[in-house]
Amino acid sequence: MDLKAVRTFVAVADAGQFQEAAAVLAVTQQAVSKRIAALERDLGVRLFARTARGAEPTLDGRAFLPHARALLLAEERAAASVRPGRRALRVDVIGPRVAPAVLLRGFHEAHPGVELEVVTLFDADTAVAAVQAGRVDATFRAVGMPGRPLPASLASARVLDEPLYLLTGPEHALAGADSVTPAELAGHRIWMPSIVEGVEWAAYYASLAAEFGLTIDSAGPNFGSAAMLDRIAGSPELATFMGEHPRHTGRDLRLIPLTGPTPVYPHSLIWDRANAHPALAALRAHLTSGSGAPSAAGTWVPDWAVA
């Protein structure tokens, strides 16, 4: 199997668009299309459904994705075994369009000489196990969720409290508000189909709902962020929570600040205490230098979040 094509498949799955994947891989969009077509012929299945907004993995594509990631991890371990001390720093950022990815891009811009590899693991248990096993050097996660203490061999530092915003369509009852308090959301349907039981963001939103009496609805299949945002834009009833980094370009949506207090999502960097990779020390110093410090008074985090 052509690992270059496998890497291209993972890049498209992460980016959601052939054009964005081409930019990440520093190749042409035509080259991306050819690699995906060749891989589909090799496997005998369609891996992506092309849409006006980009590309969504098919059912076969979703089934193949974790195995594709495993192939790339195996390739990296094989290469690292013959170049000790020279391998790239591997960091998990949950997804390519979330706040930790923005933090990591800032580190890359400040330290362009550091070779960096970004991976996207789904849940905290998988990410923590990968750090313990040495498959990744660090991961960004919410630390302290009930029943999930970090192993003693790992350390963490809270590096960013990301403010939440309310996202609505133009016909929603709160669409014209300059800001909204969490208490004012009681009785409104907050739709978040991406929540999966047992993951750290499910624990966060369960705590948020309990604290402010909110109704967070995770029902329905998750067809990805593009489908969710399309539905929010056309609904007078549905709203959702989103971070401050824009992911809704091209749609008629309202991003409304939450105040009194402002719920923030606590992102922490997790690493193995015995990991001596020099770039890991540079990353920790960059993230804890002050620009991404946890928020001050007037914000809310769950009482289980580690400072």
Side-chain angles (χ1 to χ4, degrees):
M1 187 175 294
D2 183 358
L3 289 179
K4 185 180 294 184
V6 173
R7 184 174 292 103
T8 302
F9 163 75
V10 172
V12 175
D14 287 343
Q17 292 183 343
F18 278 42
Q19 183 177 3
E20 189 170 337
V24 170
L25 297 170
V27 299
T28 65
Q29 186 172 341
Q30 183 181 21
V32 169
S33 297
K34 287 182 176 180
R35 291 177 188 177
I36 296 300
L39 186 60
E40 288 176 333
R41 286 195 302 272
D42 188 26
L43 296 173
V45 297
R46 287 186 63 200
L47 295 173
F48 291 104
R50 280 69 165 183
T51 70
R53 297 190 182 280
E56 289 283 341
T58 62
L59 188 60
D60 289 320
R62 292 178 184 275
F64 180 62
L65 184 57
H67 302 291
R69 295 193 195 280
L71 283 171
L72 297 181
L73 284 173
E75 178 196 34
E76 171 58 25
R77 287 197 297 271
S81 69
V82 295
R83 48 182 172 90
R86 297 184 57 191
R87 68 170 180 81
L89 182 72
R90 173 177 286 160
V91 184
D92 163 50
V93 295
I94 306 177
R97 301 180 182 179
V98 295
V102 176
L103 290 179
L104 200 57
R105 284 201 298 271
F107 170 73
H108 179 62
E109 292 168 359
H111 299 79
V114 172
E115 188 179 356
L116 194 63
E117 182 175 349
V118 182
V119 299
T120 53
L121 302 175
F122 180 68
D123 64 291
D125 289 343
T126 301
V128 167
V131 174
Q132 284 187 289
R135 293 191 296 271
V136 298
D137 294 295
T139 180
F140 289 89
R141 298 286 160 173
V143 176
M145 61 183 290
R148 306 286 178 83
L150 279 183
S153 62
L154 303 187
S156 71
R158 201 156 111 204
V159 295
L160 176 66
D161 280 358
E162 180 184 15
L164 293 190
Y165 289 76
L166 184 72
L167 191 73
T168 76
E171 302 302 320
H172 193 278
L174 299 174
D178 292 329
S179 64
V180 176
T181 68
E184 290 174 324
L185 297 179
H188 291 278
R189 183 182 172 195
I190 309 299
W191 188 49
M192 305 192 72
S194 61
I195 293 180
V196 178
E197 189 65 31
V199 299
E200 68 268 30
W201 57 90
Y204 173 86
Y205 285 111
S207 296
L208 179 65
E211 179 74 16
F212 297 104
L214 307 184
T215 300
I216 297 181
D217 180 7
S218 61
N222 178 18
F223 292 113
S225 60
M228 182 190 74
L229 295 178
D230 285 342
R231 188 169 174 191
I232 294 287
S235 172
E237 298 176 353
L238 297 180
T240 194
F241 290 128
M242 183 165 286
E244 60 187 326
H245 301 290
R247 282 170 275 169
H248 56 278
T249 305
R251 298 174 179 85
D252 189 8
L253 291 163
R254 307 292 186 269
L255 195 63
I256 305 168
L258 292 171
T259 59
T262 297
V264 295
Y265 193 90
H267 296 282
S268 290
L269 185 74
I270 301 172
W271 68 93
D272 192 306
R273 298 177 188 275
N275 190 326
H277 197 302
L280 177 59
L283 175 62
R284 289 166 49 196
H286 175 84
L287 294 174
T288 57
S289 62
S291 59
S295 303
T299 60
W300 175 90
V301 293
D303 56 10
W304 48 259
V306 175

